[in-house]
Amino acid sequence: MTVKAQVEAVYRSESRRILATLIRLLGDFDLAEEALHEAFFVAVERWQQDGVPDNPRAWLVSTGRFKAIDRLRRQARFTPLLQEQAEALEAVEWSDEDVEDDRLRLIFTCCHPALAADAQVPLTLREICDLTTEEIARAFLATPATIAQRIVRAKGKIREAKIPYQVPSLAELPERLDSVLRVIYLVFNEGYSASMGADLTREELTREAIRLGRLLLELLPEPEVMGLLALMLLHESRRPARTSPAGELVLLAEQDRALWGAALIAEGCALVEQALATRRFGPYCLQAAIAAVHAEATTAADTDWVQIVGLYDVLQRLVPSPVIELNRAVALAMRDGPLAGLQQVEGILARGELLDYHLAHSARGEFCRQLGRMKEARQAYEKALGLTQQAPEKRFIERRLAELSG
């Protein structure tokens, strides 16, 4: 492997951890991002001469930190206060042993209540997981320009309000938890079902979300943290079976369950039981319970759809949502037949909800197909095809359309 390839590999695996540490050390998002890129630029040249260091992450953090201090000293000729900032940063001592929780610290900073709610998650997804503004915009059904503006404003607020880069005290944690859970779950979802691109999944994101979930559970062993971690583990257990060897989408009912991860299922189900036993569970616990029912069925035909519909009923009462209603409609169709599911989906769309959500139109197309209403099925699948930007899903819908035309 060439040195350049090694640098690129380190960037893919370590850059967000390095950035989180630089933000902690430098106290400024933009300065840390500039330092990160300068450090990797220097690494390409220096590592060719000196070889790859034993601890590339520590080397890159140190190099980025000194590059940032040098930058401030150069600019201090025009802004004297920057000289004081440079001296203060130079006096800060750091150890590579401190960096493991830096991304968790950064999540809580990005989810600080002083920040606008609609900026907390985009900022964290951008800074922690390196999602592009386009990917985040897809998750929020917003424009990239809108997301970019939210991120810029949030960074400015953190700088101006001197929001601390730290994990909150135990007394403050519960009120900050909902936003953090939402962030971690959005990271997982982007990895489990990528919003766009050539691949259905992005394993590095699901792995990162699960790691963050484990860290959070160590910090705060609350039922909803258990529920979220369980939900991610149970979904992740299916990932190897969700695509064919050629990268094509495989529906849940058609997946080879022998490929499902038994260890992940066992851990996830144990967490679900532990969380439900507290009787203080919320939406993540309920979603995890639904995933556990799927995981415990040895075949698709053995799935307890009565229990799943009942769990969706409770979930919908707790957190009313058209997406939950859509998922319930799919479960209802499995319990009572495609007409029952179609009526629910058409009711959602008639209210003007989920009109731009491709999965709603895909579900409608599938129910119409099963009912023999082929013209309506084609129209629904064509609508779904125009809305999805993810290659395997596009190919799946195109195959469905070809079958309907055959």
Side-chain angles (χ1 to χ4, degrees):
M1 182 185 292
T2 66
V3 169
K4 184 177 180 182
Q6 287 178 289
V7 173
E8 289 173 351
V10 172
Y11 184 87
R12 287 193 300 271
S13 63
E14 298 283 355
S15 63
R16 305 329 283 177
R17 183 181 284 111
I18 294 166
L19 177 63
T21 300
L22 286 170
I23 292 172
R24 172 168 62 87
L25 294 173
L26 302 174
D28 184 282
F29 281 83
D30 295 333
L31 184 61
E33 287 172 0
E34 291 168 0
L36 173 75
H37 293 299
E38 283 196 67
F40 274 97
F41 181 79
V42 172
V44 173
E45 179 181 346
R46 291 282 298 278
W47 292 4
Q48 286 178 336
Q49 298 172 0
D50 306 335
V52 178
D54 293 337
N55 189 336
R57 182 175 65 195
W59 188 96
L60 287 158
V61 170
S62 290
T63 301
R65 177 170 170 259
F66 286 122
K67 284 290 181 182
I69 291 169
D70 287 344
R71 176 187 291 268
L72 290 174
R73 290 193 188 283
R74 290 195 303 272
Q75 295 173 344
R77 291 176 296 172
F78 311 102
T79 311
L81 284 175
L82 293 180
Q83 178 65 32
E84 295 179 18
Q85 185 181 352
E87 291 172 358
L89 293 177
E90 198 166 29
V92 172
E93 295 184 3
W94 78 281
S95 167
D96 191 48
E97 296 175 359
D98 298 332
V99 307
E100 199 54 40
D101 293 342
D102 275 338
R103 280 175 292 183
L104 194 59
R105 293 187 186 101
L106 182 55
I107 285 179
F108 277 104
T109 301
C110 293
C111 296
H112 195 279
L115 301 180
D118 63 0
Q120 293 175 10
V121 179
L123 177 65
T124 309
L125 291 173
R126 178 73 192 95
E127 299 305 323
I128 298 290
C129 297
D130 202 22
L131 269 65
T132 65
T133 51
E134 288 77 13
E135 289 169 327
I136 300 168
R138 284 286 297 171
F140 281 91
L141 301 178
T143 66
T146 298
I147 294 298
Q149 288 171 358
R150 290 176 187 173
I151 291 172
V152 169
R153 284 198 297 267
K155 286 180 180 179
K157 179 69 173 180
I158 290 171
R159 183 173 56 251
E160 293 161 12
K162 293 182 170 55
I163 290 174
Y165 183 88
Q166 62 188 32
V167 175
S169 68
L170 286 175
E172 297 173 309
L173 269 174
E175 67 180 89
R176 301 270 298 277
L177 185 59
D178 285 348
S179 293
V180 173
L181 293 175
R182 187 161 53 107
V183 169
I184 294 174
Y185 195 37
L186 272 173
V187 173
F188 180 84
N189 276 337
E190 183 60 32
Y192 186 71
S193 184
S195 58
M196 60 178 68
D199 300 319
L200 181 68
T201 62
R202 296 173 61 183
E203 184 181 355
E204 73 278 10
L205 291 182
T206 58
R207 185 172 60 245
E208 172 64 9
I210 289 170
R211 194 194 76 84
L212 291 171
R214 292 190 192 282
L215 279 174
L216 190 60
L217 185 60
E218 288 178 19
L219 180 70
L220 190 68
E222 285 291 310
E224 276 295 82
V225 182
M226 297 175 200
L228 175 59
L229 180 56
L231 178 60
M232 295 190 295
L233 292 169
L234 290 165
H235 281 327
E236 180 69 2
S237 73
R238 300 184 211 151
R239 188 174 51 76
R242 293 186 65 233
T243 54
S244 70
E248 299 303 329
L249 174 65
V250 180
L251 296 180
L252 176 63
E254 299 164 6
Q255 289 174 13
D256 179 358
R257 298 187 178 214
L259 297 177
W260 287 7
L264 293 174
I265 290 173
E267 184 182 0
C269 288
L271 282 168
V272 170
E273 291 180 11
Q274 186 179 353
L276 294 179
T278 68
R279 306 191 67 81
R280 293 187 292 114
F281 51 83
Y284 291 111
C285 291
L286 289 168
Q287 291 176 78
I290 292 167
V293 176
H294 284 295
E296 290 168 345
T298 54
T299 67
D302 292 335
T303 305
D304 188 345
W305 291 107
V306 172
Q307 186 177 1
I308 288 177
V309 171
L311 286 166
Y312 272 125
D313 287 340
V314 177
L315 183 60
Q316 181 68 14
R317 287 196 297 271
L318 187 63
V319 281
S321 156
V323 173
I324 292 172
E325 193 176 347
L326 174 64
N327 292 334
R328 181 186 178 278
V330 174
L332 194 67
M334 297 301 296
R335 190 190 74 179
D336 299 341
L339 182 59
L342 179 62
Q343 290 171 340
Q344 294 294 312
V345 173
E346 289 186 334
I348 296 169
L349 295 171
R351 297 198 305 265
E353 295 177 312
L354 303 186
L355 293 176
D356 294 329
Y357 190 45
H358 70 280
L359 292 179
H361 297 284
S362 288
R364 181 173 181 271
E366 179 58 22
F367 296 148
C368 287
R369 185 185 74 84
Q370 292 176 18
L371 291 166
R373 294 158 58 169
M374 300 309 180
K375 182 178 179 181
E376 291 175 78
R378 276 194 298 273
Q379 290 173 341
Y381 274 123
E382 285 169 356
K383 180 70 173 176
L385 183 62
L387 290 170
T388 185
Q389 297 190 36
Q390 205 243 57
E393 288 185 339
K394 277 183 176 290
R395 293 195 297 270
F396 175 82
I397 296 170
E398 287 167 350
R399 289 197 299 275
R400 277 287 193 255
L401 286 167
E403 292 166 4
L404 290 170
S405 301

